[in-house]
Amino acid sequence: MSYDIYTGLLKAFPLPTEGKTDICFTYDNSNAQFAALKSIYPIEAAAGDGEDFARALNLLHWVSENVWHKGNYDNHVPCNALDLLNYAYGNKKRNRINCLALSSILTECLLAVGLKARRVGIMPCSPYDGDNHVVSHVFINEMNKWVMLDPTYNAYFTNKQGEVLSLLELRDCLANQDSVFFNAEAKYHNRTLNEKSRTANIKYFAKNLYYFATFENSSFGKYTSAENRPVLLSPQGYDTKKARIANIEYRIKKYGDGPDVQSWLERAKQEKHCHCTAVDFEQSPNIAEISPSAR
């Protein structure tokens, strides 16, 4: 029943494809911190010398193998690949991190080896939902498209034709209740996903693909509105700010209060989001990095 409800919401409320925006996604592959990151961790060796998709998959597997997930990790480590790897790399039995931190690591590793990538929060419709998920989106030049990679599950999705899916393609497939498939290597920690787990996680993605949250610039550690413009892609008429504030208040009611949560609530009340279209979101970065006035 819940799968039908989640996919039904995706079907009933599509993401906008028209409308003028000033969003210009950019990708910083030359941040000085990436040199430090590559000098300490074997990112270039892990990525290898193949085409974009092979390199991206190699990094996905490397992150998933060496850093493990913990949903209630408290985000106390600065959210950048260098600090997070210093905390969690090789300590998967003890220092585990959440999906936001895992996707921050993978996204920045992808950027560090020259790929265009961004971290994306995938969000549920209901503000009375204490959970969402975070993944990486990477542009694959030989496919001329974006692809979703999930380091929590060492995963990506394909359709029934075997084509690797972007976030929007995955959303569209689920909206139409078309079959989608995890890659064979998908696993949680060291456990390969069995059929029951795969079905449950497809439903989990259906729940969390109602709208997307990202940032305009993808770089090293820039994940606050003070230094980077938050960008949302949501169905027409959906009040994302109202939903986010209601969601934080729900979490306080359900899980308890605290200074960090109150600070999060205050930021949500003050934060200004920009909205993009689906066309902006999946535009080739070779076009997206041209300034809007020059297009």
Side-chain angles (χ1 to χ4, degrees):
M1 175 66 79
S2 56
Y3 175 78
D4 289 340
I5 292 171
Y6 298 145
T7 55
L9 286 169
L10 303 182
K11 183 71 171 179
F13 298 99
L15 298 172
T17 57
E18 298 180 356
K20 188 175 178 60
T21 76
D22 68 344
I23 301 301
C24 183
F25 289 112
T26 59
Y27 309 90
D28 175 11
N29 298 113
S30 57
N31 190 290
Q33 294 295 331
F34 290 148
L37 181 65
K38 290 186 287 187
S39 72
I40 298 171
Y41 295 99
I43 293 166
E44 290 176 307
D49 298 320
E51 291 190 308
D52 288 356
F53 188 56
R55 296 169 72 215
L57 282 192
N58 287 340
L59 284 173
L60 169 71
H61 300 329
W62 179 78
V63 172
S64 296
E65 179 63 32
N66 290 291
V67 184
W68 280 5
H69 175 259
K70 179 184 178 184
N72 63 348
Y73 159 72
D74 62 5
N75 297 306
H76 69 281
V77 177
C79 197
N80 64 73
L82 195 52
D83 284 316
L84 288 166
L85 284 170
N86 287 344
Y87 171 73
Y89 181 81
N91 292 315
K92 55 192 181 183
K93 297 286 187 181
R94 182 165 52 91
N95 293 347
R96 303 181 186 183
I97 55 179
N98 59 16
C99 60
L100 181 146
L102 278 161
S103 293
S104 299
I105 292 173
L106 177 58
T107 299
E108 292 181 19
C109 287
L110 292 165
L111 290 168
V113 300
L115 298 174
K116 307 300 185 185
R118 72 172 81 106
R119 192 187 78 182
V120 182
I122 58 176
M123 313 296 290
C125 175
S126 173
Y128 304 134
D129 186 331
D131 172 82
N132 65 282
H133 197 42
V134 187
V135 297
S136 297
H137 220 208
V138 57
F139 191 80
I140 305 300
N141 275 294
E142 65 266 21
M143 299 180 184
N144 194 33
K145 63 177 286 184
W146 291 91
V147 165
M148 187 281 293
L149 300 178
D150 183 356
T152 299
Y153 294 104
N154 192 39
Y156 59 90
F157 281 99
T158 59
N159 60 15
K160 57 190 174 185
Q161 287 80 35
E163 298 165 329
V164 184
L165 299 176
S166 71
L167 278 169
L168 288 186
E169 290 170 335
L170 177 59
R171 191 187 195 275
D172 288 343
C173 281
L174 291 172
N176 293 315
Q177 295 194 336
D178 292 337
S179 296
V180 297
F181 307 92
F182 277 102
N183 54 309
E185 309 93 336
K187 60 183 179 180
Y188 185 73
H189 297 167
N190 60 356
R191 301 190 303 274
T192 301
L193 297 184
N194 59 28
E195 195 59 37
K196 183 178 179 181
S197 297
R198 288 167 184 261
T199 299
N201 278 290
I202 288 170
K203 182 171 71 173
Y204 178 70
F205 272 84
K207 174 183 83 70
N208 285 322
L209 286 169
Y210 187 74
Y211 75 99
F212 304 141
T214 190
F215 288 92
E216 190 168 26
N217 175 244
S218 295
S219 185
F220 180 88
K222 288 190 175 182
Y223 301 116
T224 68
S225 59
E227 57 190 353
N228 204 346
R229 190 158 67 152
V231 179
L232 301 178
L233 173 57
S234 60
Q236 201 80 33
Y238 182 75
D239 191 332
T240 49
K241 184 170 186 176
K242 183 177 180 180
R244 181 163 294 201
I245 291 169
N247 179 252
I248 298 170
E249 292 172 340
Y250 166 78
R251 291 178 190 234
I252 291 171
K253 181 179 178 181
K254 190 172 180 69
Y255 305 119
D257 203 350
D260 290 344
V261 181
Q262 281 299 323
S263 176
W264 183 23
L265 180 58
E266 288 307 310
R267 289 198 308 272
K269 290 178 178 178
Q270 299 299 322
E271 211 167 53
K272 293 182 179 180
H273 294 92
C274 300
H275 290 261
C276 72
T277 68
V279 174
D280 298 322
F281 190 83
E282 291 212 339
Q283 190 174 61
S284 164
N286 302 321
I287 297 171
E289 290 192 304
I290 301 172
S291 67
S293 60
R295 290 178 194 170

